[in-house]
Amino acid sequence: MSQLVDIYGQPISSKVLAQSQVVDNSQVGSLLKQFEHPSEGLTPAKLTQVLKAAEGGDLSAQADLAKDMEDKDGHLFSELSKRRRAWLKFDWTIEPPRNASKQEEKDAEQLKEQLQDATWLTDLIFDLSDGILKGFSACELNWDYFENRHDIVGYQYRDQKLFTTHPEDYNELRLVNGTVEGEALNPFGWVKHVHKSKSGYIHRAGLTSVLAWPYLFKNYSIRDLAEFLEIYGLPLRLGKYPSGASEEEKTTLLRAVLSIGHNAGGVIPKGMDIDFHNAADGQSSPFEAMIRWCELTQSKAVLGATLTSQADGKTSTNALGNVHLDVMDDLVESDLHQVANTITRDVIYPLHALNSRSYSGPRRIPRFSFDLSQAEDISQLAPGLRTLVELGTKIPMSWLHDKTQIPEAKDGEAVLSLSTPEVQPQQDAPTALKALAALKSNPSVDTQDELDKALDAIATGEQSPEYEAMLAPLFEDLAQGPELAQVTLEALYPTLSHEQLTEYLSRLMFAAELLGEADA
């Protein structure tokens, strides 16, 4: 194309790459020196005002409240950290457009190498996850031109209080510059990630409006619990002053009553009394129950479940815990689809438009994507595959490698293989067992003659001395009955090793089986 355009097709100039809207604009930069904490003295009425201001386009109070909530509530910070840092464990890639030409594939690979060398990308992904709570996250890019190539050399995270929404379009972020409409963001200068935890305009896209109410109620309960613990077990102290006492005397008595509670001692004017009544009574469980309800609500809002952070020991089974982990995986997968679209639009497209030879406009651009596939359990996959293959199902090897995430071996690359056991040469069976085997192979042979030949072979020494000493008595006992053979074996057992006894029993059972079949 003859003119450079942004992702929406609007013409732009490359001069904007050298500008920093926040640093170069004194009105915007001055906001960075202002610090507000709406959580101080937060009440339901004050919270309602903050949320209504955000609906009107003033996002600063809601953004400051979200920061305070994350700073002051350790449970909320923990739950958000689990979901945000889960983004960082996934690998990513850059895919060329569909039916890509060789030049488009080459440009996509060049962009991938360019981002693999970027030391700021992991931090950028983490900072974009700040939009889960606050609805959006905006980072200003730092550009450089080196060796005939435009490159992103870093970025600056910008606080959400610097932004407002357009009075006629609540989905358009703008910089606060003292005007009603605000200042439009420079194209190619920002990574603007609006994280849709809920449908709606930017001010309600995040979780702040959901988590602010449990945060408020939880702090009420924590305050009440602290006050209860401070007076628990202490007696009620009631001071009495005489009629006509001056204000100074009343103040002195009150100070003495309060001092006695902590210092176990004090002084009062003569004529005044302090009575001690029953100690403060009650229990902390109602406050703890309210705190627990608030934290469980926060966990469900952030992670979609509770067992990944809290377990009550009653319903926290392993199976239920796995179900809750699956819910969190679904949330993270949805998050990564959203942030991948943002990086494609605000990082990949500018680099592609400024550097790639195959650039032809916003319709055909490489895409940034995360690898969300998970390896199948081989122990469960293999039996089913074996059955399918035996039934004639044609399963491509590439599909199996994708399922198991085992890379395909390249030509000449060493691969795993099973070791082949060394085959021992088969030894000839003893003469006696050969004679017994003849009974099974040729039923017409006279059984008694063959058994006699086998015993004669033992007697004439064709067998080894061990077999002559062991098998001959056993055969004689076996002819009279198996009970007698068992007694003989028990008598010989102390003189034999386990291996020898196993060998002798195997041969004896073989002979008994042949004898039984012959008699049948």
Side-chain angles (χ1 to χ4, degrees):
M1 298 181 63
S2 59
Q3 189 175 20
L4 188 66
V5 297
D6 63 11
I7 191 69
Y8 304 106
Q10 301 297 324
I12 63 172
S13 172
S14 60
K15 294 181 180 180
V16 300
L17 301 180
Q19 299 178 1
S20 174
Q21 282 188 276
V22 173
V23 175
D24 296 342
N25 190 322
S26 59
Q27 285 185 309
V28 178
S30 63
L31 294 176
L32 295 176
K33 301 178 182 179
Q34 300 178 12
F35 302 97
E36 301 292 336
H37 298 281
S39 64
E40 295 179 357
L42 187 64
T43 63
K46 185 176 180 181
L47 177 57
T48 302
Q49 293 177 355
V50 170
L51 297 180
K52 284 185 176 181
E55 292 178 358
D58 184 4
L59 305 177
S60 59
Q62 181 174 280
D64 289 334
L65 174 61
K67 288 183 293 184
D68 285 349
M69 290 165 53
E70 196 171 4
D71 290 341
K72 295 181 178 181
D73 193 328
H75 178 77
L76 178 59
F77 169 78
S78 173
E79 302 297 78
L80 286 170
S81 294
K82 293 175 187 177
R83 185 166 167 184
R84 295 179 64 183
R85 295 191 181 278
W87 292 17
L88 305 181
K89 68 179 182 180
F90 291 91
D91 295 328
W92 56 267
T93 188
I94 297 178
E95 301 174 352
R98 190 177 304 173
N99 301 322
S101 64
K102 292 184 178 179
Q103 185 61 47
E104 288 175 330
E105 292 178 351
K106 182 178 179 181
D107 289 339
E109 188 64 28
Q110 180 180 351
L111 287 173
K112 182 178 179 180
E113 294 177 358
Q114 196 169 351
L115 286 187
Q116 284 176 339
D117 295 337
T119 58
W120 48 266
L121 183 59
T122 301
D123 293 336
L124 175 66
I125 294 174
F126 179 76
D127 284 337
L128 294 181
S129 67
D130 194 37
I132 296 175
L133 175 63
K134 302 169 186 174
F136 70 95
S137 178
C139 298
E140 191 171 12
L141 296 176
N142 300 328
W143 287 88
D144 191 17
Y145 186 74
F146 179 72
E147 294 182 351
N148 298 323
R149 186 179 75 178
H150 291 277
D151 199 4
I152 300 174
V153 295
Y155 72 95
Q156 295 294 328
Y157 171 83
R158 298 305 184 188
D159 197 286
Q160 283 85 353
K161 68 181 180 182
L162 301 179
F163 300 89
T164 184
T165 56
H166 194 281
E168 297 180 0
D169 185 0
Y170 290 151
N171 280 327
E172 181 183 352
L173 277 178
R174 293 200 164 206
L175 285 173
V176 176
N177 64 350
T179 65
V180 176
E181 295 185 351
E183 182 179 349
L185 303 183
N186 286 343
F188 289 11
W190 293 85
V191 180
K192 181 192 65 177
H193 176 59
V194 177
H195 196 87
K196 287 187 171 294
S197 297
K198 306 187 301 292
S199 297
Y201 295 125
I202 292 178
H203 70 270
R204 68 181 305 270
L207 295 177
T208 300
S209 57
V210 176
L211 297 171
W213 295 105
Y215 169 82
L216 174 62
F217 300 147
K218 178 181 175 181
N219 277 274
Y220 275 138
S221 297
I222 292 175
R223 183 197 63 187
D224 294 342
L225 177 61
E227 292 179 353
F228 168 76
L229 295 177
E230 185 177 6
I231 65 173
Y232 180 74
L234 296 178
L236 176 63
R237 305 170 304 279
L238 183 63
K240 298 180 179 180
Y241 54 85
S243 59
S246 64
E247 290 297 327
E248 182 179 357
E249 292 174 328
K250 295 178 183 179
T251 303
T252 302
L253 177 61
L254 176 61
R255 186 164 52 248
V257 169
L258 297 177
S259 177
I260 287 176
H262 295 280
N263 302 325
V267 295
I268 59 174
K270 187 175 180 180
M272 294 183 178
D273 297 325
I274 296 180
D275 293 337
F276 293 87
H277 295 266
N278 293 334
D281 197 6
Q283 54 184 357
S284 61
S285 55
F287 308 110
E288 294 174 348
M290 185 61 178
I291 294 172
R292 179 174 177 80
W293 176 85
C294 293
E295 291 187 345
L296 290 176
T297 302
Q298 291 174 333
S299 296
K300 286 185 283 188
V302 177
L303 302 179
T306 58
L307 286 188
T308 52
S309 57
Q310 291 178 323
D312 57 10
K314 300 177 182 178
T315 60
S316 52
T317 62
N318 181 65
L320 187 57
N322 290 333
V323 172
H324 285 208
L325 284 175
D326 290 340
V327 173
M328 180 180 172
D329 290 341
D330 293 340
L331 289 174
V332 173
E333 185 173 345
S334 173
D335 294 343
L336 293 180
H337 283 305
Q338 293 189 48
V339 75
N341 290 334
T342 297
I343 295 177
T344 298
R345 181 193 67 222
D346 294 339
V347 176
I348 301 301
Y349 177 75
L351 290 173
H352 176 63
L354 295 172
N355 299 313
S356 298
R357 294 183 178 181
S358 62
Y359 171 71
S360 58
R363 295 184 179 274
R364 292 187 61 82
I365 60 175
R367 296 194 63 85
F368 183 94
S369 64
F370 290 94
D371 183 8
L372 302 178
S373 60
Q374 296 183 0
E376 296 285 345
D377 188 346
I378 299 179
S379 62
Q380 297 182 2
L381 182 64
L385 284 178
R386 182 183 182 91
T387 302
L388 292 174
V389 171
E390 290 175 349
L391 292 175
T393 306
K394 296 181 179 180
I395 302 176
M397 291 294 294
S398 58
W399 177 87
L400 180 61
H401 283 285
D402 290 339
K403 282 292 183 182
T404 59
Q405 294 190 357
I406 299 176
E408 297 187 36
K410 300 178 181 179
D411 294 338
E413 187 176 7
V415 296
L416 296 176
S417 61
L418 295 176
S419 58
T420 304
E422 183 179 355
V423 180
Q424 298 293 338
Q426 186 174 1
Q427 300 178 354
D428 292 339
T431 305
L433 294 181
K434 287 182 179 180
L436 293 174
L439 297 177
K440 193 169 187 178
S441 61
N442 189 1
S444 62
V445 177
D446 184 70
T447 304
Q448 190 60 45
D449 290 344
E450 293 301 325
L451 286 175
D452 291 340
K453 289 179 181 179
L455 294 175
D456 290 341
I458 296 175
T460 57
E462 294 182 15
Q463 284 291 96
S464 64
E466 290 184 46
Y467 290 119
E468 182 179 352
M470 292 296 302
L471 290 183
L474 290 176
F475 276 121
E476 294 176 0
D477 295 339
L478 184 61
Q480 300 179 25
E483 294 80 5
L484 186 57
Q486 181 178 356
V487 174
T488 304
L489 281 174
E490 292 176 353
L492 293 173
Y493 175 74
T495 64
L496 300 175
S497 64
H498 291 285
E499 292 77 8
Q500 289 175 321
L501 182 60
T502 302
E503 177 71 15
Y504 294 152
L505 285 175
S506 300
R507 294 182 182 275
L508 179 60
M509 294 304 297
F510 175 62
E513 181 184 356
L514 291 176
L515 182 59
E517 292 184 2
D519 290 342

